[in-house]
Amino acid sequence: MSHLFGVVWAYLILFGVAILPGFMNAFLMSSLLMDRRPVFRHATGRLPGITVLVAAYNEEANIAQTIESIEKQAYPGELQVIVINDGSSDGTAAELDRLQYPWLEVIHLPKNAGKANALNEGLKRARYAMTMTVDGDSYLYRNALENLARRYLSDPPNTKAVAGAVLVRNSRTNLVTRIQEWDYFHGIAATKRVQSLYQGTLVAQGAFSVYDTDVLRQVGGWPHSVGEDIVLTWAILAAGYRVGFAENACLFTNAPTTWRQFIRQRQRWSRGLMEAFKAHWRLLFRLRMTTIFIWWNLLFPYMDVVYTCAFLPGMVLALFGIFWIAGPMTLLVLPMAMIINGIMFRIQAGMFAEQGLKVRRNKFGFVIYSLFYGLVLQPACVVGYVQEFVTRSKRWGTK
């Protein structure tokens, strides 16, 4: 590569496609093997009241099941559920008006103004010290609210937010959702486990998380941005607090069902990362354990660009016998990938067994996820990074 591109570019490519990913995977694997989830300090008994915010936009087909799943939780404490209908143009309002629960409050906003605005309207009415967010097309598995609350109360005192475990609900729909099932089950869950091991969960996702209500108000609630949940989480970190992860608080959500929706979703997530850096870049220089993962995230755009602009063309060239970047030696990464995925599977399958869940047989989706997922994911992320700097649009898109 140095003869073809020069020494500097050769090293940039080498570090972006081999050295840094290799180190990160080794770190991830060793950390997962060390991880032992802490037990609840108060495993039984009454819990404080919670406010649950459900922002809904055109969720006519799903909102009733979401609220019913909350009703089935049998949460051992007071419950206030606020659904904010963000100017939906379908039958969401009618669906909400027919639901009759004593703890349910509904806010009908006159026009669609975005998820952050909807959640902030709900926050104004929050009565309890803990506020949870749940997506309007989700289904809470049994004891999800309780497990999330108990993790929040059991974590160190400076914990002011805890992310729940989000899994794919519609995995049987088509190949797109079958692949994403493994991303949520393996990649996202493993990342949050490792980050929480080092006291540094970086995203309390809006789909299912709990926050300290006073801290939410202290940092100004959800910002008007594409990635409002990551920017909010980093604001909580910037205020000096900790964010945790409850691996056994399971919520099943609908993943994008087309490649177009999936690409747009990941572009928004990438834009959210850029928004977080723009708003809270000072976190890069905080001397605490979370800082390693802030820097880790800073490397993602670089690695995604190198993968998209160098490694993918290198693989195409390799198919024609031109081994400038990729070649037969590249296949040696497959055993390591299988080992990492095997560790992730064993850990997640154990959690499922504890919750009375079974891992669905989805071998073909796993093969596609392991071998080809990055071919779509990382170029989509690169587009998202660019979009953040060339467009000002801040729309509530598909998940």
Side-chain angles (χ1 to χ4, degrees):
M1 284 193 294
S2 61
H3 289 298
L4 290 167
F5 310 117
V7 173
V8 174
W9 285 107
Y11 273 109
L12 286 173
I13 294 171
L14 178 64
F15 271 84
V17 301
I19 304 300
L20 288 174
F23 167 77
M24 289 180 175
N25 283 327
F27 183 89
L28 177 67
M29 182 170 60
S30 59
S31 297
L32 286 172
L33 290 173
M34 291 190 299
D35 186 33
R36 298 294 181 271
R37 305 308 296 170
V39 299
F40 294 146
R41 285 191 287 116
H42 305 288
T44 59
R46 193 80 174 162
L47 289 174
I50 57 171
T51 296
V52 180
L53 303 182
V54 183
Y57 176 63
N58 288 350
E59 296 291 358
E60 176 184 3
N62 303 297
I63 192 63
Q65 287 189 347
T66 300
I67 304 305
E68 288 166 7
S69 76
I70 295 175
E71 192 273 334
K72 293 178 181 178
Q73 288 289 296
Y75 178 75
E78 299 296 324
L79 198 65
Q80 177 194 22
V81 179
I82 304 174
V83 181
I84 309 95
N85 172 27
D86 189 26
S88 298
S89 57
D90 63 356
T92 300
E95 278 292 298
L96 288 169
D97 289 340
R98 75 172 181 81
L99 298 176
Q100 300 295 321
Y101 297 105
W103 36 257
L104 179 62
E105 302 176 26
V106 178
I107 302 173
H108 293 295
L109 300 181
K111 62 178 181 179
N112 175 238
K115 190 173 185 179
N117 178 74
L119 291 172
N120 286 327
E121 287 297 320
L123 181 61
K124 294 175 183 177
R125 298 194 189 184
R127 296 197 304 265
Y128 297 113
M130 289 188 291
T131 295
M132 292 186 186
T133 55
V134 172
D135 268 0
D137 61 349
S138 304
Y139 193 90
L140 289 158
Y141 187 63
R142 66 187 187 197
N143 301 324
L145 294 183
E146 180 177 351
N147 287 345
L148 188 58
R150 291 196 188 279
R151 171 52 54 218
Y152 175 85
L153 296 170
S154 300
D155 272 8
N158 66 328
T159 300
K160 299 302 178 183
V162 173
V166 178
L167 301 160
V168 175
R169 180 185 184 187
N170 58 336
S171 60
R172 290 176 173 81
T173 302
N174 55 32
L175 180 61
V176 180
T177 59
R178 290 173 69 184
I179 295 171
Q180 290 175 85
E181 179 179 37
W182 289 107
D183 187 21
Y184 283 72
F185 185 74
H186 272 194
I188 295 174
T191 298
K192 289 187 180 296
R193 272 180 175 267
V194 171
Q195 289 177 351
S196 66
L197 172 65
Y198 296 100
Q199 309 295 314
T201 304
L202 293 188
V203 183
Q205 70 284 331
F208 187 40
S209 294
V210 62
Y211 309 87
D212 182 286
T213 304
D214 288 339
V215 170
L216 278 178
R217 291 167 174 158
Q218 173 190 328
V219 299
W222 286 266
H224 180 63
S225 57
V226 172
E228 71 286 329
D229 48 5
I230 183 173
V231 180
L232 170 64
T233 307
W234 286 32
I236 293 172
L237 294 172
Y241 301 116
R242 176 188 177 276
V243 178
F245 173 57
E247 80 289 345
N248 60 351
C250 299
L251 171 141
F252 291 85
T253 191
N254 287 329
T257 57
T258 67
W259 285 117
R260 176 180 174 83
Q261 290 176 345
F262 169 77
I263 290 170
R264 291 179 62 187
Q265 178 199 60
R266 297 313 168 101
Q267 287 172 351
R268 286 193 300 277
W269 289 10
S270 298
R271 287 191 64 181
L273 178 62
M274 293 296 98
E275 291 173 323
F277 273 115
K278 287 161 67 175
H280 302 292
W281 58 269
R282 292 176 180 83
L283 285 172
L284 288 164
F285 307 102
R286 290 282 183 90
L287 296 178
R288 59 182 185 180
M289 295 184 75
T290 55
T291 303
I292 185 175
F293 295 109
I294 301 291
W295 281 96
W296 191 303
N297 275 256
L298 187 63
L299 292 172
F300 283 154
Y302 158 58
M303 291 189 296
D304 289 339
V305 168
V306 173
Y307 181 90
T308 301
C309 299
F311 187 66
L312 288 184
M315 287 197 297
V316 173
L317 291 172
L319 295 175
F320 295 93
I322 304 173
F323 305 130
W324 290 350
I325 298 173
M329 292 289 289
T330 306
L331 297 176
L332 294 178
V333 304
L334 294 178
M336 176 64 74
M338 295 306 296
I339 292 172
I340 294 174
N341 276 291
I343 293 172
M344 291 178 183
F345 181 84
R346 187 184 61 132
I347 291 172
Q348 283 293 89
M351 183 275 288
F352 261 40
E354 291 173 1
Q355 298 302 306
L357 290 165
K358 290 184 179 180
V359 182
R360 190 173 75 83
R361 296 176 66 88
N362 182 9
K363 293 180 180 179
F364 183 66
F366 174 74
V367 171
I368 302 300
Y369 163 74
S370 300
L371 299 179
F372 303 108
Y373 192 58
L375 301 181
V376 178
L377 174 64
Q378 289 174 278
C381 291
V382 171
V383 174
Y385 302 139
V386 175
Q387 285 178 334
E388 178 55 27
F389 295 97
V390 300
T391 178
R392 295 185 178 182
S393 173
K394 305 285 186 181
R395 296 180 301 170
W396 178 347
T398 303
K399 295 189 70 63

